[in-house]
Amino acid sequence: MAGVAALAIATPWAASPSSAVAASQSQIKHVLLISVDGMHQSDLNWYIANHPNSELARLATGGAEYTHAQTADPSDSDPGGTALMTGGDPKVTGIYYDDEYSHGVFPPGTTNCSGPVPGGNVIYDSPDDNLPAVPDLLNNGSGNTFPSFDEGGSIYSGGIDTNPSLIMNLSPRPQSGLNPATYPVNPKTCQPIQPWDFLGVNTIFQVIHNAGLRTAWSDKHAIYTSFNGPGSNGMSIDDFFGPEIDSQAVEPNGVPYPVDGAWTADNAATKQYDSYKVQAVVNWVNGYEHSGTGPKVGTPAIYGMNFQTVSTAEKLKSSPAVLIGPNAQGKYTEGPPLVGGYITVDGRQVPGPLLQSALDYVNDSVQKIADTIKADGEADSTAIILTAKHGQSPQNNSQLQRIDDGPIIAGVNAAWAAKHPSNKTLVVQEADDDGLLWWLSDRSQAAADFAKNYLWTHTAPAVNYVGQTVTVQHSGLRQIYAGRQSAQFFGVSKSDPHHPDVFGISQVGTIYTTGSKIAEHGGDNPADRDVPLLVYAPGTVEPDQSSHSVETTQVAPTILKLLGLSPTSLQAVQKEGTRVLPGLGTSNGD
């Protein structure tokens, strides 16, 4: 029901904030956080309507559901995930994208930090892996390469994966498989900046770990050990399970998938990939480390994972949904390809066959985890929070327009070079998915306005859903913030070193790609940011539905509140005034 408090402590002392905290301390011992990357609130609505007895329906109707939740902006995985873990937007975290730039660092590889700080790439992604270029197992002579499944090759000799189930033995500190030489360099120390030290504020893992409680998390890159937080030395997440999603997808018998691509190139492969993380979560529930072996160490106070299956089902135009086998010879085959993304039914956009299968997979996986929690006697002491780092756009195929941003960047650089022969490259870094983020070599307002004017006055060829080439106005954008306008948009000063110098909001349907994907995230369109958010904790959180506008940054202080810890322990809560989700407290910055 609209406009009501969605969370309340179900005790006789609910009216007293201090008593509410005490009740939370005695009741909730564990919080399971799940991010279903790419999922929209409309997807959850559709799934519950069509599967009223599903696990997702049970969590939504039995918990507090927020029907107007939005991600951080930009809607990329890194700022979206960092928001969940810190309670902060990019203005305080400094995280705008996986692949970004800072005017306040020296470039990777710098060993002499004398002179003015030139700025440099800040790429915390799979190129940071110690083994970023393992030869293609299917077409070894093709020249194609992939990063290793375990980043550093500690499990697979040379990074060559012939038994993917061994990934469960990945070190709980997989950052040991990363290469610091690829990190930006701190101008004060002239040392590479560890990913967790690039964050501008602390994280829930630091607060919970420092309280003497166990922490765990599973994600798609080892570089997301950044969630350990600044000054942690990478040690505040006791068990991080991060198999590299950009590695080559390999069937359980060690044979590469026919698509000859990463785990995201085939939805059946993505499900196999996500299943390793699901197993890690089940092992955590059972009190083990993610491998499920060794002595019991206890269920973490905070643990969870992100799902990629829904995201790839939205991006792929078609893909097999299931892997069948093994047969008597130990071989696997794939089911028939299903249509990806959304389809039109009775004038409405609803999940298509591939996305329906992906939602079924997530539902069944969440039920497997929930059943384990119940079987272990932890149902009453565990809160489950389900949301998404980001949504995805477009949801209507007729809006799709794929644009190659290469000629646009080359064009603005050439136009700039014609007037500035001493500085021929204006765009020094870009992050263009379904939004546009540019960092410029010249930070003057005149240079930012130059880029903005070029983007707005040029057309671009685009390929639509059916493969036709069409002409798109304004380089595919509908609004552009440049220079001080970009700083104001993100709420930072113009001199802030991290924010993009140009931020473009795309026309709905624009994706900057040369590939075949039909949806993407990273921008500021409604479908990029509209995500589900529900909190399930019977006995602590009363069932309700709220239409309050909330943001996923509110998840972090809510987790601390549920565990009986102070939300104001988070620096982002102090700086931004991030509130606990409505109904769970009103004092001390809650």
Side-chain angles (χ1 to χ4, degrees):
M1 62 191 73
V4 299
L7 288 172
I9 303 300
T11 73
W13 312 282
S16 167
S18 60
S19 296
V21 172
S24 177
Q25 287 176 322
S26 63
Q27 179 81 355
I28 298 301
K29 304 298 183 185
H30 316 281
V31 177
L32 166 63
L33 175 60
I34 296 173
S35 172
V36 186
D37 294 5
M39 192 174 187
H40 305 98
Q41 176 64 32
S42 60
D43 299 326
L44 182 61
N45 292 343
W46 178 89
Y47 197 82
I48 291 173
N50 288 273
H51 304 84
N53 298 317
S54 64
E55 181 66 15
L56 292 178
R58 185 182 76 89
L59 295 179
T61 58
E65 181 186 8
Y66 298 86
T67 60
H68 286 78
Q70 286 197 317
T71 67
D73 191 0
S75 61
D76 185 51
S77 297
D78 202 354
T82 302
L84 289 172
M85 307 310 178
T86 63
D89 289 307
K91 65 183 177 184
V92 298
T93 66
I95 305 300
Y96 289 84
Y97 233 77
D98 286 332
D99 302 344
E100 55 182 331
Y101 187 93
S102 175
H103 294 281
V105 302
F106 277 84
T110 300
T111 57
N112 182 356
C113 297
S114 60
V117 179
N121 287 342
V122 179
I123 300 178
Y124 290 124
D125 206 341
S126 51
D128 297 299
D129 298 349
N130 271 335
L131 288 176
V134 177
D136 188 323
L137 299 178
L138 192 62
N139 295 302
N140 202 11
S142 66
N144 295 333
T145 61
F146 299 87
S148 171
F149 197 25
D150 68 347
E151 286 84 18
S154 60
I155 297 173
Y156 308 105
S157 178
I160 298 175
D161 173 10
T162 56
N163 184 358
S165 66
L166 293 178
I167 197 65
M168 298 306 300
N169 297 322
L170 184 63
S171 165
R173 303 203 183 281
Q175 62 264 40
S176 60
L178 299 174
N179 179 14
T182 63
Y183 301 162
V185 173
N186 186 325
K188 294 181 179 179
T189 65
C190 210
Q191 295 297 312
I193 304 172
Q194 297 291 338
W196 45 85
D197 287 329
F198 192 77
L199 269 65
V201 290
N202 65 348
T203 74
I204 56 173
F205 295 108
Q206 288 176 285
V207 174
I208 297 169
H209 179 84
N210 290 342
L213 303 173
R214 188 166 178 79
T215 61
W217 182 251
S218 180
D219 220 306
K220 61 183 180 179
H221 304 300
I223 201 71
Y224 283 172
T225 48
S226 60
F227 298 156
N228 275 284
S232 66
N233 198 28
M235 301 295 284
S236 66
I237 302 178
D238 294 305
D239 189 352
F240 188 101
F241 181 55
E244 178 54 63
I245 198 168
D246 291 336
S247 62
Q248 186 168 15
V250 177
E251 296 172 357
N253 59 358
V255 176
Y257 273 80
V259 70
D260 193 20
W263 296 95
T264 54
D266 182 304
N267 195 244
T270 313
K271 288 172 180 169
Q272 180 186 331
Y273 169 86
D274 276 348
S275 292
Y276 297 120
K277 295 190 290 184
V278 170
Q279 187 58 52
V281 173
V282 167
N283 292 339
W284 285 328
V285 175
N286 285 330
Y288 294 98
E289 290 196 336
H290 73 257
S291 63
T293 60
K296 284 195 173 185
V297 291
T299 304
I302 175 65
Y303 63 101
M305 63 170 286
N306 80 309
F307 283 93
Q308 285 293 110
T309 301
V310 165
S311 179
T312 61
E314 291 171 336
K315 287 183 177 183
L316 296 170
K317 191 171 185 178
S318 70
S319 175
V322 294
L323 186 67
I324 303 168
N327 62 15
Q329 289 75 42
K331 295 183 178 180
Y332 291 82
T333 57
E334 290 193 279
L338 301 180
V339 173
Y342 294 82
I343 58 175
T344 304
V345 176
D346 297 330
R348 295 175 56 243
Q349 300 303 305
V350 301
L354 187 65
L355 183 51
Q356 292 181 28
S357 173
L359 292 169
D360 283 338
Y361 169 80
V362 169
N363 178 78
D364 294 346
S365 297
V366 172
Q367 181 164 0
K368 178 180 179 180
I369 297 169
D371 287 347
T372 307
I373 292 173
K374 182 178 179 180
D376 283 1
E378 296 177 351
D380 292 338
S381 61
T382 300
I384 300 174
I385 299 179
L386 186 144
T387 186
K389 294 178 185 175
H390 59 79
Q392 213 116 254
S393 182
Q395 291 179 276
N396 188 329
N397 295 332
S398 67
Q399 296 175 308
L400 179 65
Q401 45 193 36
R402 292 181 289 243
I403 298 174
D404 180 1
D405 66 340
I408 298 175
I409 296 170
V412 72
N413 279 336
W416 175 261
K419 294 186 176 182
H420 303 82
S422 63
N423 177 16
K424 295 186 177 181
T425 301
L426 179 61
V427 181
V428 291
Q429 173 68 332
E430 53 80 22
D432 304 342
D433 284 321
D434 77 334
L436 181 144
L437 288 77
W438 282 1
W439 288 264
L440 308 180
S441 60
D442 184 332
R443 297 205 88 189
S444 68
Q445 187 62 39
D449 289 340
F450 181 93
K452 177 180 179 178
N453 181 68
Y454 183 94
L455 288 165
W456 193 253
T457 57
H458 281 73
T459 60
V463 179
N464 64 18
Y465 184 80
V466 296
Q468 298 170 327
T469 299
V470 296
T471 299
V472 176
Q473 301 297 314
H474 311 309
S475 306
L477 301 170
R478 60 182 173 88
Q479 197 161 2
I480 305 171
Y481 299 89
R484 71 176 70 92
Q485 297 168 340
S486 177
Q488 290 169 356
F489 180 89
F490 290 110
V492 297
S493 67
K494 174 69 166 61
S495 60
D496 175 89
H498 302 319
H499 76 85
D501 300 301
V502 178
F503 179 60
I505 298 176
S506 67
Q507 300 166 22
V508 175
T510 294
I511 299 175
Y512 295 101
T513 180
T514 57
S516 59
K517 66 180 74 172
I518 61 172
E520 191 48 279
H521 57 273
D524 188 41
N525 286 316
D528 293 325
R529 299 187 63 203
D530 294 342
V531 294
L533 177 53
L534 59 89
V535 181
Y536 178 85
T540 299
V541 176
E542 292 183 351
D544 208 345
Q545 188 179 83
S546 171
S547 61
H548 282 284
S549 293
V550 298
E551 188 173 300
T552 53
T553 52
Q554 294 176 254
V555 168
T558 297
I559 288 173
L560 296 187
K561 184 78 172 183
L562 287 166
L563 291 172
L565 302 173
S566 173
T568 55
S569 300
L570 290 170
Q571 294 162 349
V573 168
Q574 300 172 29
K575 293 181 178 181
E576 293 195 39
T578 313
R579 292 181 174 271
V580 168
L581 288 166
L584 195 63
T586 57
S587 63
N588 298 323
D590 293 352

